[in-house]
Amino acid sequence: MPKLLIVDDDDASVRALREVLVRHGYDVVAAADGRDGLRLLFEETPDLMILDLLVSGLNGWRVLARARDMSDLPVLVLSGLSAVEDRVRALRAGADDYVGKPFDDEELSARVEVLLRRAGRRYWAGERAGEHLRLVPERRAAVWYGNEVRLSDLEYRLLQFLVRSRGRVVPSEQLLARVWGDSTAVGRDRVKFGVLRLRRKLRDAAGPEGRDPVEAVRGVGYRFVGGEETVPGEQVAAPSRTGPKARVERPESD
């Protein structure tokens, strides 16, 4: 039975949500403020979180940011904020869907069902991301081949996003939008040089025996391989493109 976490300080809203979700076969836990929500997120490791951006205590924006540090579980924002800017900001901050209040019971349950169906195995901070890699969100660091590597916020987000997309080639445009917050797709060089800096830090930490964990696919983007051999035939996480088939490159030189 999937477990859902509701983070909302409106008692009436929580009661209505609980009734709908339990009726559809979900196990439900709820938190009335942001700090308690993060505690339950860590203790319960739910399959999906429903988050009100106006929750008391630690506000919903900060809860969303911290949740994204901890896990890639699906997050459905359920909020009275109806401005387009709020919806766009939440989606760019890592929310997977956005529903306004008041909500329709059947629409909400359908959106939850779709998010759960699309979600694969969830990654939680502290788990090994590969044979030689572990992410340390509280220090914005990675442990690579037994050595801790301190990363900038941007480098950490880049590595985290690649790790969570493991098994797929992530287009440069998607990295630019999700890591740099730039949806114009005109700054691809920022991605290239950001990946080069990240690779350099990891190579320096691993020493001569380490393998580059990030692989470039010419004309498309990058793939996290975690220090292991590339698995043939993995799908590219990008819209179909015309022209010759993208080919995997050896790691770029600095």
Side-chain angles (χ1 to χ4, degrees):
M1 178 185 298
K3 180 183 293 185
L4 310 186
L5 169 63
I6 301 169
V7 184
D8 194 330
D9 58 1
D10 183 335
D11 290 341
S13 181
V14 172
R15 283 197 302 271
L17 279 169
R18 188 188 294 274
E19 181 179 340
V20 171
L21 296 171
V22 169
R23 187 169 69 242
H24 283 81
Y26 300 112
D27 183 16
V28 177
V29 292
D33 64 70
R35 295 188 186 280
D36 196 37
L38 287 176
R39 179 183 62 79
L40 287 177
L41 184 65
F42 179 77
E43 292 178 357
E44 300 287 343
T45 60
D47 297 289
L48 180 144
M49 178 168 67
I50 298 176
L51 173 66
D52 181 3
L53 294 175
L54 298 177
V55 68
S56 59
L58 199 66
N59 71 47
W61 298 108
R62 294 179 66 187
V63 172
L64 179 57
R66 293 283 300 278
R68 277 291 163 255
D69 281 348
M70 293 169 64
S71 176
D72 59 350
L73 88 166
V75 176
L76 188 154
V77 167
L78 181 65
S79 178
L81 296 176
S82 58
V84 172
E85 310 89 77
D86 293 314
R87 294 173 179 268
V88 171
R89 180 185 171 190
L91 293 170
R92 286 181 173 167
D96 297 280
D97 201 356
Y98 195 112
V99 175
K101 291 183 177 181
F103 59 90
D104 177 83
D105 293 358
E106 291 306 312
E107 179 189 4
L108 180 81
S109 63
R111 288 177 181 269
V112 167
E113 181 182 339
V114 168
L115 289 176
L116 290 172
R117 187 167 64 239
R118 290 177 177 173
R121 180 188 182 279
R122 281 161 292 285
Y123 170 81
W124 290 88
E127 291 183 3
R128 285 196 172 274
E131 185 181 357
H132 303 290
L133 178 66
R134 181 168 58 86
L135 299 180
V136 189
E138 62 271 21
R139 293 199 296 276
R140 282 297 190 270
V143 177
W144 179 237
Y145 278 86
N147 297 310
E148 183 165 304
V149 184
R150 299 304 295 269
L151 304 171
S152 68
D153 282 349
L154 189 145
E155 290 164 347
Y156 182 87
R157 292 197 306 270
L158 175 59
L159 179 58
Q160 183 185 62
F161 192 75
L162 288 169
V163 165
R164 291 176 177 176
S165 304
R166 182 174 183 156
R168 299 180 292 151
V169 177
V170 184
S172 297
E173 293 84 357
Q174 187 178 0
L175 288 172
L176 190 63
R178 292 296 297 270
V179 177
W180 277 262
D182 182 350
S183 59
T184 63
V186 296
R188 290 170 60 104
D189 282 348
R190 297 165 71 187
V191 177
K192 177 181 178 181
F193 291 116
V195 171
L196 285 174
R197 287 192 295 271
L198 174 62
R199 280 175 162 169
R200 185 182 298 120
K201 285 189 175 183
L202 294 175
R203 284 200 302 267
D204 289 347
E209 296 183 1
R211 173 178 163 82
D212 197 322
V214 180
E215 201 162 44
V217 177
R218 176 169 291 179
V220 182
Y222 300 89
R223 166 170 48 199
F224 175 79
V225 293
E228 301 163 0
E229 293 297 327
T230 303
V231 178
E234 290 170 328
Q235 285 190 325
V236 174
S240 59
R241 54 192 297 271
T242 58
K245 183 179 179 181
R247 69 181 179 86
V248 177
E249 297 178 312
R250 288 297 90 198
E252 301 167 358
S253 62
D254 294 339

